[in-house]
Amino acid sequence: MSFLSHLECSNCGRHHSANQIQGVCVECGSPLLPRYELEAINRSIDVKALRKRKPTMWRYWEFLPIQSKSNIVSLGEGFTPLIRAERLGRRIGLRNLWIKDESLIPTGTFKARGFSVAVSKAKELGVRSIALPSAGNAAGALAAYGARGGMKVYVFMPVDAPLSNRLESYMCGAHVYLVKGLISQAGEIVAEGSKTRGWFNMATFKEPYRVEGKKTMGLEIAEQFEWTLPDVIVYPTGGGTGLVGMWKAFKELEEMGWVSPEKPRMVSVQAKGCAPIVKAFQEGKERADFWEGASTIAAGLRVPKSLADFLVLRALRESRGHAVAVSDAEILESVNEMAREEGIFPCPEGAATLAGVKSLLNQGLVDPDEKIVLFNTGSGLKYLELFPLDLPILNPREEIDFKRLQ
Ligand SMILES: *Cc1c(COP(=O)(O)O)cnc(C)c1O
Ligand SMILES: [Zn+2]
């Protein structure tokens, strides 16, 4: 059923077969990107045919790499709401503000998209045990999709990963290990284990298909805006799969003639305590340096070095976009602001996009009338230990003085 043609190295261009298990480029170690027979897709469907399909990301199966539908491992992910944020926009001075709300997805973050595709493809190629270093949300999503696909799952995350992630991974039957260190050190353990134990390494950009799941966010935005694209997309960037995936989606759609060549400016938001992409962007570099002492409450942004940093930077520059760093204090304030103004309780990474767009507006890098999409990549409910709360307690056995209630 798929129109997948081959895998192409994102750096040296070398082709790899898509019919066998692949990791990174055998020549240069860079990420591999799936390529499709786009003309054949165009001949087989049109935008109208899509409308009748089920509201999950698998409505775009022609753009995804699975050969047989029986191999699809799905929990109903995708086609998340794209919500007009009028009140929030008015408050910060933007007249055409939107939020793509990924908090409604299985496992509560957009990581589900990547693993639905990657686990499906691994299953199709006969993989039985999979492993992953993770800041947290990826571990939970892999554990869920691994369970759904009947696989053995090993996840490794920093000891301070959010409790929700440790718990959901364990509950979904994964072998869960906490690492005294950063995600990069967890990555070294997985790399070693994939040699000695035969685990398939699902680390960000170490396998070719997670990015395809993330690509569906771009396809959805295009379809939800009736095959036009917004002016600006603001995305909280860790490893950068989502940003690279969306940019890939826009290029594929452009090549097929489904959208006009004018594409959105892509914006990476990172935390001031871990901003390797922002630094490299500002310094005009093609690659980012390892960020020493990475620290932020937004666990998904705590990625000191991405294998695809050059792809993120390329997408930012090709799109004439921007990169901006925000503080943890701004992130926390923005969590509350988005929730209060729109009823969307975002994860700190999602809130970072709100803090980021305020900074862009202050710097004159976005215009108040532009159509801007913020990505809320997950639910605030996955980060309950971040928000200390002191609520008034009433005792119904005593008389309540209603005049004194706020
Ligand atoms: C992983 C993660 C990110 C960063 O995603 P990338 O596409 O890898 O840059 C952002 N937000 C949340 C909630 C995440 O879990
Ligand atoms: Zn290569």
Side-chain angles (χ1 to χ4, degrees), residues 8-14 16 24-32:
E8 185 184 286
C9 174
S10 56
N11 178 42
C12 74
R14 179 170 168 152
H16 294 63
V24 290
C25 174
V26 292
E27 194 79 36
C28 73
S30 300
L32 297 176

Side-chain angles (χ1 to χ4, degrees), residues 237-251:
T237 307
T241 9
L243 195 130
V244 172
M246 277 192 276
W247 192 240
K248 187 170 186 282
F250 299 150
K251 287 191 157 180

Side-chain angles (χ1 to χ4, degrees), residues 110-111 137 214 235-242 300 347 349 377 383:
F110 77 137
K111 288 288 191 303
N137 288 324
K214 302 280 184 83
Y235 183 80
T237 307
T241 9
C347 59
E349 297 84 349
T377 43
Y383 295 81

Side-chain angles (χ1 to χ4, degrees), residues 377-388:
T377 43
S379 170
L381 293 173
K382 297 203 79 176
Y383 295 81
L384 294 182
E385 65 268 56
L386 270 192
F387 311 105

